[in-house]
Amino acid sequence: MSKVDCISQRVKFSEISSILEKVKAATGAKRDELLRRYFASFEQFRREFQRENNGKARSSIFPVLRLLLPGADRERDSYGVRVKSLRDMYIKVLGISESSTEARKLSGYDDETGGGGTSSSEDFADRVFRLMQGRCPPEGSLTVWEVNERLDAIGGHYVNGERRRIGEELERLVGGMSQVDQKWLIRILLKNLRLGMSQVKILGVYHGKAGRLYDRFSNLSKVCEVVESGEGLEELGEGGGSVELFHPVKPMLCQRVDLKLVDGMLKRDEFWLETKMDGERFQIHKDGVVFKYFSRNSYEYSEVFGVNRNQVGSTLTPFFGGFVGFECAERDSGRGDDGF
């Protein structure tokens, strides 16, 4: 992501942590209203930003939405960060001993009571929040753009096995954040905001059709693109819309029925059974000689199974070479309808 002409450069991360703090503290319909007002104000800001830049700047809410819905963001690599690694990082940054009272409290242990000193509703982010009181600036300086850049870097370092560099990126992040910022950064890293609002609910507050768009594309940036442009919203209608190549779709689940009804259902003259085979279930998308594989939760595994049959180390695509459809695709790679 380029820093030039990007709306997220103009949005402080502290603004995001502030709205998350308010939503967390609210209950029921008040949560929805707080988020709805934020989305409305951002849309107004987005349009003003577009006018200032003659429509040439990138003004999507996506950089913000991916922080509000970290579990739905499929475009960033896994962080490889766990509570223990975060705890170790804070102990190092603060220069405290592993056996100190503060370090023990980070682990949820209270020396005064001789046991767990935290309530069941408290998480690691809450413990860090208390520990950092008086130890960090009252207001964070980082923008949403800068935070996303660091998170992208952490994901890249994890994929490349560079654990040491993950720690360095984390230290850079927390160095420019307030207490509240760090609390919400930790929850974003752990992909659990504990807001009391589901992903479906947040998407619905953002836009009435955002949930169905996400089911269709499993791609937050694509959802934002469609909502902000308005193109394709009408054709979505009440159904799920069409399927788009290389955008995974959520599989349809079987209908849940009351067990008391099963006996009667089996007394019909004819019914169908399907053996549920053990193994990995993936969607395979194919265009010409390019293959992509997606799990049922829309995670991509193309690099494992093979983007094409010549990929070194791939485990599945090379074995598709004998399929007629594949051979046709090699002769006419412009065709996208010869898959299987």
Side-chain angles (χ1 to χ4, degrees):
M1 181 188 297
S2 171
K3 187 175 181 179
V4 179
D5 296 330
C6 182
I7 196 171
S8 63
Q9 187 190 357
R10 300 263 296 269
V11 181
K12 287 289 189 71
F13 181 75
S14 56
E15 181 181 317
I16 307 305
S17 59
S18 176
I19 187 64
L20 287 171
E21 192 78 356
K22 291 174 183 176
V23 171
K24 174 71 172 175
T27 57
K30 182 66 174 175
R31 287 175 173 168
D32 297 8
E33 183 57 28
L34 283 167
L35 266 184
R36 191 171 287 110
R37 286 208 306 263
Y38 177 75
F39 287 139
S41 66
F42 189 94
E43 177 60 18
Q44 182 178 352
F45 170 54
R46 190 181 75 83
R47 292 180 180 181
E48 292 171 357
F49 184 79
Q50 281 185 313
R51 284 195 294 271
E52 289 175 14
N53 293 275
N54 298 316
K56 297 179 181 179
R58 286 174 300 163
S59 59
S60 177
I61 196 175
F62 170 64
V64 170
L65 198 61
R66 70 193 311 197
L67 298 177
L68 298 179
L69 291 166
D73 187 4
R74 298 289 184 268
E75 297 185 43
R76 186 137 51 203
D77 292 314
S78 174
Y79 302 127
V81 174
R82 299 291 182 268
V83 168
K84 184 183 183 304
S85 56
L86 288 170
R87 174 187 175 276
D88 293 345
M89 185 270 294
Y90 272 100
I91 287 174
K92 177 186 174 184
V93 168
L94 296 173
I96 58 179
S97 167
E98 280 274 2
S99 58
S100 67
T101 299
E102 290 168 318
R104 288 159 69 83
K105 284 184 176 180
L106 268 183
S107 300
Y109 188 87
D110 192 332
D111 286 335
E112 293 182 8
T113 63
T118 61
S119 69
S120 59
S121 63
E122 189 175 80
D123 66 347
F124 179 74
D126 289 317
R127 299 198 291 273
V128 169
F129 177 77
R130 287 203 313 273
L131 180 67
M132 296 307 292
Q133 185 172 4
R135 287 177 154 140
C136 50
E139 186 174 340
S141 60
L142 298 180
T143 64
V144 166
W145 185 87
E146 290 169 317
V147 171
N148 276 317
E149 283 289 289
R150 298 275 70 80
L151 292 177
D152 284 341
I154 289 171
H157 296 327
Y158 178 65
V159 169
N160 295 326
E162 299 173 310
R163 293 279 183 172
R164 178 184 57 80
R165 298 189 68 183
I166 292 176
E168 292 172 355
E169 295 291 353
L170 287 171
E171 289 177 30
R172 291 192 189 100
L173 275 171
V174 301
M177 290 187 167
S178 67
Q179 266 183 286
V180 175
D181 289 347
Q182 291 185 47
K183 179 202 294 188
W184 290 104
L185 172 70
I186 288 169
R187 288 174 176 160
I188 289 168
L189 285 165
L190 298 176
K191 299 190 176 184
N192 184 4
L193 295 188
R194 295 165 58 93
L195 281 180
M197 295 180 74
S198 68
Q199 173 180 305
V200 172
K201 184 69 171 177
I202 293 173
L203 283 170
V205 172
Y206 168 54
H207 189 278
K209 293 183 178 180
R212 275 176 284 159
L213 284 168
Y214 187 78
D215 285 345
R216 175 180 171 183
F217 297 118
S218 295
N219 184 309
L220 273 183
S221 64
K222 184 69 174 177
V223 170
C224 295
E225 177 188 326
V226 173
V227 168
E228 289 165 351
S229 69
E231 296 178 6
L233 280 178
E234 291 301 323
E235 69 182 53
L236 193 64
E238 294 302 317
S242 60
V243 175
E244 189 170 324
L245 195 62
F246 295 148
H247 287 289
V249 294
K250 286 187 175 293
M252 182 182 291
L253 301 178
C254 293
Q255 180 183 356
R256 292 181 180 274
V257 296
D258 189 328
L259 284 176
K260 296 175 183 177
L261 302 176
V262 173
D263 186 57
M265 294 170 68
L266 294 178
K267 290 179 180 178
R268 296 174 181 173
D269 292 336
E270 184 178 3
F271 58 89
W272 293 84
L273 293 177
E274 181 181 359
T275 303
K276 183 177 182 296
M277 308 296 291
D278 287 336
E280 296 173 321
R281 291 171 174 79
F282 282 87
Q283 294 174 41
I284 303 177
H285 292 225
K286 178 178 178 291
D287 185 13
V289 296
V290 178
F291 286 75
K292 287 197 175 183
Y293 298 81
F294 300 95
S295 72
R296 64 179 181 178
N297 289 321
S298 303
Y299 288 100
E300 186 174 350
Y301 286 81
S302 306
E303 290 300 321
V304 176
F305 294 113
V307 174
N308 58 64
R309 69 174 182 174
N310 297 318
Q311 181 181 318
V312 177
S314 57
T315 60
L316 185 58
T317 303
F319 300 100
F320 288 149
F323 281 87
V324 173
F326 191 90
E327 297 301 330
C328 289
E330 284 189 308
R331 289 193 294 271
D332 182 6
S333 60
R335 289 178 58 191
D337 58 349
D338 54 358
F340 51 88

